Amino acid sequence: MEEIKRIAVLTSGGDAPGMNAAIRAVVRSGISHGLEVFGIVRGYDGLIGNEIKRMQSQEVSNILQTGGTILKTARSEEFMTLQGRKKAYDNLISKGINGLIVIGGDGSFAGASRFAGEHNFAVVGIPGTIDNDLYGTDYTIGYDTALNNVVDAVDKIRDTASSHNRIFFVEVMGREAGFIALRSGIATGAEAILIPEVEGQVKQMMKTMTNRGEIKKSSIIIVAEGEREASIWEMADMVRKELPGSDVRVSILGHIQRGGRPTAYDRVSASRMGVAAVDALLNKKNNVMVGLVNNKITLVPLSKTIKLHKEVNRDLLAIVDLLV
Ligand code: F6P
């Protein structure tokens, strides 16, 4: 592959706080290495539509502390097609760009990997999703901020729950994974946590609720949106039936989890990963994702991040029941 002189960066899939810090790191470290850096607007859709602009250092000033993504994002249907990816390739080549950095989740990396294979194009991924569900990294950009958003919201719900002696079922995001639910549940002292990775939790939750006695009048139950055993509404009804006179509420936190200023942890991780992604391209380490494992930067083949499943932390699971 020829020498890398011009690179482009895009954000794809659901936005995540800290994506801007990663964009800034790519732009600034790229320029420091003497590269020309381009930003692609609206993810793969913008790449196909040729929305590609040169980025200078000052364009990424004052974005480190902001949520969302200044490059905008999209979940592209067209990039799933061969023709869409060919258009994307032609647009990059017409600008002399021969390295692409994709900030996103597993869907974005599946597209990136296919694109890289079809066109022998150098691609590096940076994990950016609040779900933390990517194999090959302990943390994804945005996860820590989303967690803190959940903790902040649930602490507030706890105030009203305890004032009214109510039981609250709180649904958190995470797609099919329970990373947000598990950690936020521990951090908020939830009475029960239900995640898709563990079976039999509805029964366990019902047991906890019926055994809680008179001392505990209010409770918080965190439910991952991907929980499959029962819907949050069904669970609320089950508790109402089992505990006559109980006052049960359901709260779906929704997209508020995905917004806001990134935490210091997300800013630093995103900055490290952005710099590492540029280094990977310069060192011809292509078709890899930059990860953070045991707080060290690592590179893992994109194909592995797509195929392999990341497990929830069993040590965390083990302490849940001991803390109720
Ligand atoms: O992947 C991030 C995420 O926020 C998931 O937790 C959630 O299931 C999904 O995106 C929501 O997607 P959308 O914003 O397209 O509704």
Side-chain angles (χ1 to χ4, degrees), residues 65 73 87 97 142 168 187 199-200 207 219 224 229 241 252:
Q65 71 279 20
T73 187
K87 267 195 221 163
I97 296 167
F168 266 86
E199 281 178 12
K207 208 159 126 199
S219 291
E229 280 183 66
K241 262 193 213 130
I252 315 260

Side-chain angles (χ1 to χ4, degrees), residues 5-319:
K5 289 253 171 57
R6 293 179 171 184
I7 64 170
V9 57
L10 62 81
T11 49
S12 169
D15 62 303
M19 279 183 163
N20 283 333
I23 295 168
R24 171 179 176 269
V26 167
V27 171
R28 294 223 165 135
S29 72
I31 292 171
S32 298
H33 284 296
L35 303 176
E36 286 180 29
V37 186
F38 293 76
I40 299 163
V41 185
R42 290 193 313 111
Y44 293 129
D45 278 348
L47 178 53
I48 294 166
N50 212 5
E51 297 172 53
I52 305 173
K53 55 175 190 182
R54 180 88 186 267
M55 304 277 285
Q56 303 293 355
S57 187
Q58 65 273 18
E59 276 159 81
V60 292
S61 290
N62 262 323
I63 66 165
L64 177 71
Q65 71 279 20
T66 59
T69 160
I70 58 155
L71 287 178
K72 312 241 181 237
T73 187
R75 300 191 197 278
S76 176
E77 298 273 325
E78 208 180 343
F79 199 69
M80 287 159 132
T81 67
L82 204 66
Q83 299 90 311
R85 292 192 293 275
K86 172 75 170 73
K87 267 195 221 163
Y89 175 73
D90 291 342
N91 288 338
L92 288 169
I93 292 303
S94 72
K95 294 206 159 44
I97 296 167
N98 57 356
L100 175 66
I101 294 177
V102 173
I103 308 171
D106 55 354
S108 310
F109 293 165
S113 181
R114 225 168 283 154
F115 174 76
E118 282 162 11
H119 298 288
N120 192 24
F121 204 90
V123 181
V124 173
I126 297 179
T129 164
I130 62 163
D131 300 338
N132 200 34
D133 58 347
L134 274 168
Y135 179 88
T137 187
D138 293 341
Y139 278 93
T140 57
I141 296 170
Y143 173 55
D144 188 61
T145 307
L147 258 185
N148 281 286
N149 285 341
V150 172
V151 168
D152 189 47
V154 174
D155 285 350
K156 288 172 178 152
I157 291 175
R158 179 74 82 174
D159 288 345
T160 177
S162 95
S163 304
H164 285 265
N165 287 341
R166 279 177 176 160
I167 297 167
F168 266 86
F169 282 82
V170 182
E171 186 185 283
V172 302
M173 279 186 168
R175 215 175 272 280
E176 276 109 46
F179 294 95
I180 297 178
L182 180 57
R183 228 167 241 267
S184 66
I186 293 174
T188 55
E191 277 67 23
I193 304 169
L194 293 103
I195 60 173
E197 290 86 347
V198 182
E199 281 178 12
Q201 287 180 311
V202 173
K203 209 164 144 207
Q204 179 59 37
M205 178 272 295
M206 289 304 291
K207 208 159 126 199
T208 308
M209 296 313 290
T210 44
N211 289 347
R212 65 193 189 131
E214 273 309 291
I215 323 147
K216 258 194 182 156
K217 296 211 187 295
S218 69
S219 291
I220 299 282
I221 296 153
I222 301 282
V223 184
E225 66 175 345
E227 171 62 31
R228 288 180 298 249
E229 280 183 66
S231 77
I232 196 165
W233 303 101
E234 286 164 346
M235 286 188 244
D237 279 343
M238 284 158 77
V239 170
R240 278 188 193 110
K241 262 193 213 130
E242 201 63 37
L243 298 174
S246 60
D247 198 354
V248 184
R249 292 286 192 278
V250 170
S251 181
I252 315 260
L253 293 189
H255 286 81
I256 200 160
Q257 293 164 87
R258 225 160 71 184
R261 298 164 63 233
T263 58
Y265 187 86
D266 272 330
R267 297 181 199 191
V268 174
S269 304
S271 302
R272 291 177 73 189
M273 290 185 189
V275 169
V278 173
D279 285 348
L281 280 179
L282 289 171
N283 293 321
K284 306 218 178 319
K285 304 261 165 55
N286 301 328
N287 311 334
V288 291
M289 179 192 82
V290 174
L292 264 182
V293 176
N294 296 329
N295 206 22
K296 291 240 164 1
I297 289 286
T298 52
L299 299 177
V300 55
L302 277 179
S303 55
K304 269 196 170 179
T305 70
I306 304 157
K307 263 190 229 125
L308 300 181
H309 179 72
K310 180 167 165 187
E311 298 287 329
V312 281
N313 186 330
R314 297 277 146 185
D315 294 345
L316 285 185
L317 269 182
I319 67 169

